[in-house]
Amino acid sequence: MACVLVTGCSSGIGLETALVLARAGHTVYATLRNPDRGNSLRQRAGKEKLPVSIVQLDVDSDESVAGAIAAIRSEAGFIDVLVNNAGIERTGSIEELPWEAFRATMETNYFGALRCIRACVPEMRKRRSGCIINVSSVSGRIACSPMSPYTASKFALEAVSEALAQELKPLNIRVAIVEPGIITTPMAERIAESENESAYPHVRRFSRMFDAALAQPRPPSVVAEIIRNIVESGTWQLRHTAGPDAEPFLAWRKSMTDEQWVEWGALDDDAWHERVLADFGLDTRPKAEEKV
Ligand code: NAP
C-alpha cells in the first residue's frame, strides 16, 4: 500500500481520488488550499470510516507546499505517490481576458504542479522509488478558444511531464499524465454556466458544449479509478485518457489538419453547431425560443 499526497481535494476529481485510494487501503493525505472547504470530503470519508488525513496545501505558495510536505513526511515517513490534481480554469478570448487569467492558470496548473514535484523528487530520488501523476486534460493536447489560458497551462504541464519522465525513469520513479475529457465536477459546471459579453462567440459555444456533454453521466470516479490503476499497476505508460469523450476528442482533432482545426474554430455559429452535432453527436444548437 502506498502513501499518497493528492492536491485539490475539496471537490471533483481530487475528492473522488482521495476516497477511491483510501477505500483501496492506501494512506491518503488529501490536501486543500482552504480546509474550510473540506466538509464534503470529511463527511464522505467519515461515513465510510476511511483514514483520510486533511492537510492545508496551496500549490501557488512555496511556503505552503514546503510546510505541508514536511508535515506529511514527519508523520508518514515518506510520500510514495504525488497526484498533482489542483487546477483552475478561465474562459474568454485572448483579447478580452485580464492578465490575471493567464497568470493565475499558469501559476496553479503549471507552476503549482512543478512546485509539488520539485518538493517531492529529492526524497524519491534518494529512495529510488516513487510515482508522480499529473492531471492534465485533453486540453493538454488540443488548443482552442475560449480555453487559451487553460490549454496553455496544460500544454506546459504535459511538456514538463515528458521531460520529467525521461529524467526519472533511470531512478525508478514513474511519471504519468492523466487526460480527462469533460467530467462532471464544479469546474465543468462553471464552464457550462459561463456567460460573458464578448466580441467573440467561443465562450457561449463552449458553455453549450459543456452543458450538452454534462447531460450524460461523467462521474469523477472514472478518473479516480484510472489514477488508482496507475498507482497499483506499476505501469510505465506515460499518457492515460479518462472519461467517455477523451479518446474521441483526441481522435477528432487528429482527423483534421491544423488549418482545418482553425477553420472549425472560425466557423459562424450555425455552421459550428452543425459540425459539432455531425462530428461529435453533441446538440449545442440554441433552442428556438433562445434565438433572437
Ligand atoms: P474542481 O472541482 O474545481 O476542483 C479543483 C480543485 O483544485 C479544487 O479542490 C480547488 O480548491 C483546487 N485548487 C484550485 N487552486 C488551488 C491551489 N492554488 N492550491 C490547491 N488547490 C487548488 O475541478 P475538477 O474538474 O475536479 O479539476 C481537477 C483537475 O482535473 C484539474 O487539474 C482540472 O484541470 C482537471 N480536469 C478537469 C476536467 C473536467 O471536465 N472536470 C477535464 C480535464 C481535466 P478550491 O475548492 O479551494 O477552489
Side-chain angles (χ1 to χ4, degrees), residues 182 205-206 208-210 212-213 249 252 256 261 264-265 267-285:
I182 299 175
R205 290 177 184 176
F206 258 58
R208 291 188 173 286
M209 190 159 110
F210 272 65
F249 268 133
W252 189 28
M256 294 185 226
W261 183 244
W264 171 75
L267 289 170
D268 68 38
D269 267 355
D270 285 344
W272 189 87
H273 291 303
E274 292 305 330
R275 274 291 298 281
V276 173
L277 182 61
D279 291 1
F280 215 63
L282 282 177
D283 190 354
T284 55
R285 295 171 299 183

Side-chain angles (χ1 to χ4, degrees), residues 8 10-11 13 33 37 58-59 85 136 150 154 181 183 185:
S10 67
S11 60
I13 294 168
R33 65 173 157 178
R37 288 179 48 75
D58 180 345
V59 302
N85 164 78
S136 173
Y150 181 81
K154 295 294 190 183
I183 303 293
T185 69

Side-chain angles (χ1 to χ4, degrees), residues 1-240:
M1 289 299 134
C3 174
V4 189
L5 185 171
V6 187
T7 65
C9 294
S10 67
S11 60
I13 294 168
L15 188 157
E16 284 307 323
T17 301
L19 295 175
V20 160
L21 290 172
R23 258 179 228 130
H26 300 286
T27 302
V28 177
Y29 286 89
T31 68
L32 289 79
R33 65 173 157 178
N34 178 2
D36 291 347
R37 288 179 48 75
N39 285 345
S40 175
L41 174 62
R42 273 187 207 96
Q43 277 167 14
R44 290 182 61 192
K47 212 170 169 183
E48 293 185 52
K49 299 192 172 34
L50 297 172
V52 174
S53 303
I54 294 182
V55 175
Q56 195 277 337
L57 189 160
D58 180 345
V59 302
D60 292 359
S61 156
D62 289 339
E63 295 72 31
S64 176
V65 169
I69 287 176
I72 295 169
R73 278 203 190 117
S74 75
E75 188 176 293
F78 44 80
I79 296 163
D80 297 301
V81 181
L82 166 67
V83 182
N84 281 309
N85 164 78
I88 57 170
E89 86 296 345
R90 296 285 188 275
T91 55
S93 72
I94 292 167
E95 177 193 335
E96 294 162 325
L97 277 166
W99 270 115
E100 178 276 338
F102 296 92
R103 292 195 195 283
T105 41
M106 214 39 124
E107 189 60 55
T108 301
N109 301 357
Y110 173 63
F111 288 114
L114 204 49
R115 202 170 269 120
C116 295
I117 289 166
R118 286 165 56 95
C120 286
V121 162
E123 197 203 23
M124 290 180 175
R125 180 166 55 76
K126 277 187 208 129
R127 298 181 65 232
R128 295 185 79 84
S129 156
C131 174
I132 294 169
I133 302 173
N134 293 332
V135 180
S136 173
S137 166
V138 290
S139 294
R141 286 206 275 160
I142 305 177
C144 57
S145 181
M147 307 287 290
S148 52
Y150 181 81
T151 53
S153 70
K154 295 294 190 183
F155 267 58
L157 178 62
E158 297 232 359
V160 87
S161 302
E162 276 194 35
L164 185 71
Q166 292 180 340
E167 290 176 0
L168 298 186
K169 182 143 198 240
L171 303 168
N172 192 40
I173 302 167
R174 296 185 291 132
V175 175
I177 303 169
V178 176
E179 299 174 324
I182 299 175
I183 303 293
T184 308
T185 69
M187 178 186 286
E189 281 156 3
R190 278 192 298 275
I191 298 172
E193 285 158 16
S194 54
E195 286 172 18
N196 70 359
E197 286 298 315
S198 173
Y200 300 85
H202 303 93
V203 169
R204 196 175 61 239
R205 290 177 184 176
F206 258 58
S207 144
R208 291 188 173 286
M209 190 159 110
F210 272 65
D211 196 41
L214 294 177
Q216 302 297 321
R218 294 150 179 276
S221 54
V222 170
V223 186
E225 285 296 344
I226 284 167
I227 292 172
R228 182 176 70 82
N229 186 261
I230 295 168
V231 173
E232 293 178 354
S233 65
T235 180
W236 288 89
Q237 184 180 315
L238 184 64
R239 287 191 165 82
H240 304 256

